[in-house]
Amino acid sequence: MSKILNDTSKFLSFVLRHEPQAIGLTLDSEGWADIASLMEGAAQSGRAMTRDLIQQVVDTSDKKRFSLSADGLRIRAAQGHSTGLVAITHPEKEPPEWLFHGTATRFLDSILKEGLRPGERHHVHLSEDEQTAAAVGQRYGKPVVLRVEARRMRQQGFRFFQADNGVWLTEFVPVQFIMKGAT
Ligand code: HQG
């Protein structure tokens, strides 16, 4: 991916997930921003971007990080939010038997004591495949993939949701549903 696309993707993640107020942007509770307002706020912050560039970022995002509204006028981050202004109603779904969480080895002791917590974000993020989870874990150090007994959790009343981009979300994973090591 070119530098401009990568930089713009990071900037959009920052304002659409974490700090819309940094450019005077308003998100609705479902996370949607008006693209014209986004472009205006970005330009005023010295980050001018064209509609075409935004479209390219959406189209080339490996993780499908952003969604456009059907009318093409609005954009949102599919998941990963920390801003308290957004509470997306992700559809609740029956998860597969196993889901995977990638983390760094240095977090293992704490996770195996406390369970998986959402941290700054609204949910714990889980993947359907181990490769994706390993790549997520790599961002923080030596990666390790944890297996989560998602189906059994759900049977015991824990709720699972799926974001626009396929990432699985849940509020908390207690330690008794976590296993170290891949399948
Ligand atoms: C860890 C990326 C200590 C957790 C990815 C993770 C994802 C604990 C870190 C999305 C813990 C939080 C989210 C505990 C959890 N003790 N550490 N009890 N419980 N952790 O970045 O899941 O590229 O907030 O393992 O693809 O890494 O940004 O969450 O290492 O979908 O689009 O605390 O971000 O997408 O880190 O990543 P994060 P995540 P993007």
Side-chain angles (χ1 to χ4, degrees):
M1 189 192 279
S2 75
K3 182 162 176 358
I4 176 87
L5 286 176
N6 197 31
D7 288 353
T8 307
S9 176
K10 290 212 157 110
F11 179 73
L12 291 179
S13 291
F14 172 70
V15 295
L16 295 175
R17 289 173 172 172
H18 308 299
E19 301 227 2
Q21 65 278 14
I23 60 163
L25 187 65
T26 310
L27 306 183
D28 72 12
S29 64
E30 291 295 326
W32 293 107
D34 177 60
I35 293 178
S37 309
L38 167 66
M39 288 168 59
E40 196 183 315
Q44 279 169 9
S45 311
R47 301 283 312 221
M49 56 183 75
T50 60
R51 177 72 171 78
D52 188 53
L53 177 60
I54 294 172
Q55 184 74 48
Q56 276 188 59
V57 170
V58 172
D59 293 343
T60 58
S61 171
D62 51 350
K63 295 181 183 168
K64 298 191 173 64
R65 290 185 179 87
F66 310 102
S67 312
L68 294 176
S69 59
D71 61 11
L73 296 176
R74 295 181 302 157
I75 185 170
R76 76 174 177 186
Q79 34 69 223
H81 298 76
S82 65
T83 171
L85 302 168
V86 171
I88 298 183
T89 47
H90 299 288
E92 189 172 350
K93 287 213 180 141
E94 170 84 31
E97 186 171 5
W98 299 101
L99 285 170
F100 301 92
H101 179 86
T103 190
T105 49
R106 65 195 159 97
F107 298 144
L108 260 187
D109 285 353
S110 169
I111 291 172
L112 294 176
K113 203 164 8 160
E114 298 173 359
L116 279 169
R117 297 184 184 281
E120 297 290 309
R121 304 191 200 245
H122 296 169
H123 297 94
V124 173
H125 290 222
L126 301 164
S127 315
E128 262 175 47
D129 68 283
E130 299 174 32
Q131 291 83 344
T132 306
V136 170
Q138 204 137 34
R139 296 173 309 144
Y140 292 120
K142 188 168 182 286
V144 55
V145 173
L146 302 174
R147 270 198 294 162
V148 169
E149 283 185 286
R151 183 72 54 76
R152 199 163 69 85
M153 275 180 72
R154 158 93 176 198
Q155 283 161 359
Q156 296 192 19
F158 290 86
R159 304 201 301 160
F160 286 81
F161 306 90
Q162 206 171 17
D164 295 348
N165 62 355
V167 169
W168 285 88
L169 306 167
T170 195
E171 274 148 29
F172 170 64
V173 181
V175 71
Q176 66 266 30
F177 300 104
I178 301 172
M179 289 184 192
K180 223 181 107 192
T183 37

